[in-house]
Amino acid sequence: MVPSPTRRRFLTGALIGGAPLALTGCDVFGLAQSEGVSDALGSADGLARRVQRLLGGDALAPEFEAAEMSPVFRTNGNTMPSSAAYRTLADGGFAGWSLAIDGLVERPVRFSLAEIMAMPSRTQITRHDCVEGWSAIGQWTGVPLGRLLDEAGLRPAARYVVFHCADDFDGSPYYESIDLFEARHPQTILAYAMNGAPLAIGHGAPLRLRVERQLGYKQAKYVMRLEVIAGLGGIGAGKGGYWEDAIGYDWYAGI
């Protein structure tokens, strides 16, 4: 049977030629600047989302055994935010850090890292698939995103969760977003530990998103604030994420 033309297969094939790459969750500049490639990926992205929702529902992404974990899990994109405030928090072991949840919620809340780590957690060993053409298997421990959203309570108009992050690119704040369907998926967590140890700064400390049914650039690092919104148009350039805005990456990025 011929494999279905998913976005991941399309990108993997396109990248075999060795185009120079450099992204955040994962980065590709030259590839996405091609109008034909961008159009093809855009149409495939919408199709992938509809098919995955129709056929996959809330199916889990593959999980692995500890023996299958990658000996090296690359860092890429930003590995240390330039923000002085972030560096001060890092120097203090993130003791003064907190996560804000606001927007279309009934109860705007703020949680310290200790409070988040005291909540019921989930540990999962999953594969990170990057648009650069590499993959790695790692173990992640964190709080289910749905639990945090329940703590804040969602208003009826809520549709998306925006992840505002501590890093930036040339002064443009980094952000990503997912819809509530993925936000409430059991494998969607905000991770504070990787491979049994506290999350390293290069991997997004103190908290990063793991949304396991999507490509690597959706896995926002250095998460500082969750904003619940009704539509994406008023955030950034309106396409749902930094790389979506900057170079036309697909918003859904399902695999």
Side-chain angles (χ1 to χ4, degrees):
M1 181 178 294
V2 178
S4 60
T6 64
R7 181 178 183 279
R8 180 177 151 214
R9 290 193 181 98
F10 180 93
L11 278 170
T12 300
L15 293 173
I16 288 174
L21 309 170
L23 232 144
T24 172
C26 301
D27 324 331
V28 182
F29 288 99
L31 179 64
Q33 288 173 342
S34 165
E35 183 176 353
V37 169
S38 179
D39 289 345
L41 296 182
S43 60
D45 186 60
L47 176 61
R49 181 173 67 254
R50 291 191 294 273
V51 169
Q52 191 172 63
R53 296 287 167 80
L54 178 64
L55 301 180
D58 59 357
L60 299 179
E63 295 193 17
F64 300 84
E65 300 296 328
E68 299 176 280
M69 291 166 56
S70 301
V72 176
F73 198 118
R74 292 172 52 180
T75 61
N76 59 345
N78 286 328
T79 56
M80 169 60 86
S82 61
S83 160
Y86 176 87
R87 291 177 182 238
T88 297
L89 289 169
D91 289 343
F94 298 105
W97 175 93
S98 62
L99 175 71
I101 306 178
D102 55 31
L104 293 176
V105 298
E106 299 294 342
R107 300 172 296 278
V109 291
R110 187 177 287 272
F111 296 107
S112 69
L113 184 58
E115 289 172 327
I116 289 174
M117 293 176 69
M119 295 178 181
S121 66
R122 177 184 173 91
T123 296
Q124 56 202 30
I125 300 176
T126 53
R127 188 180 63 227
H128 178 104
D129 292 308
C130 182
V131 297
E132 293 177 357
W134 61 268
S135 298
I137 296 172
Q139 181 192 74
W140 307 94
T141 298
V143 61
L145 177 55
R147 167 65 185 265
L148 294 175
L149 297 179
D150 288 343
E151 291 284 342
L154 299 183
R155 295 183 180 178
R159 295 292 181 273
Y160 302 93
V161 180
V162 179
F163 303 86
H164 296 279
C165 304
D167 56 332
D168 69 89
F169 284 82
D170 296 324
S172 295
Y174 191 82
Y175 81 99
E176 256 302 341
S177 66
I178 59 176
D179 62 18
L180 291 183
F181 188 92
E182 292 299 332
R184 292 196 176 279
H185 187 272
Q187 290 174 311
T188 300
I189 64 174
L190 289 178
Y192 48 75
M194 178 184 180
N195 295 348
L199 193 63
I201 288 177
H203 285 292
L207 204 67
R208 71 171 293 167
L209 174 66
R210 293 301 307 176
V211 53
E212 303 296 355
R213 304 196 302 178
Q214 294 177 297
L215 284 168
Y217 65 85
K218 299 295 290 188
Q219 323 295 326
K221 302 194 295 185
Y222 314 113
V223 176
M224 302 293 288
R225 174 186 169 219
L226 308 183
E227 182 183 10
V228 181
I229 60 175
L232 301 174
I235 306 294
K239 296 182 179 179
Y242 174 83
W243 292 109
E244 291 91 324
D245 291 342
I247 54 176
Y249 266 32
D250 298 326
W251 172 74
Y252 180 60
I255 53 177

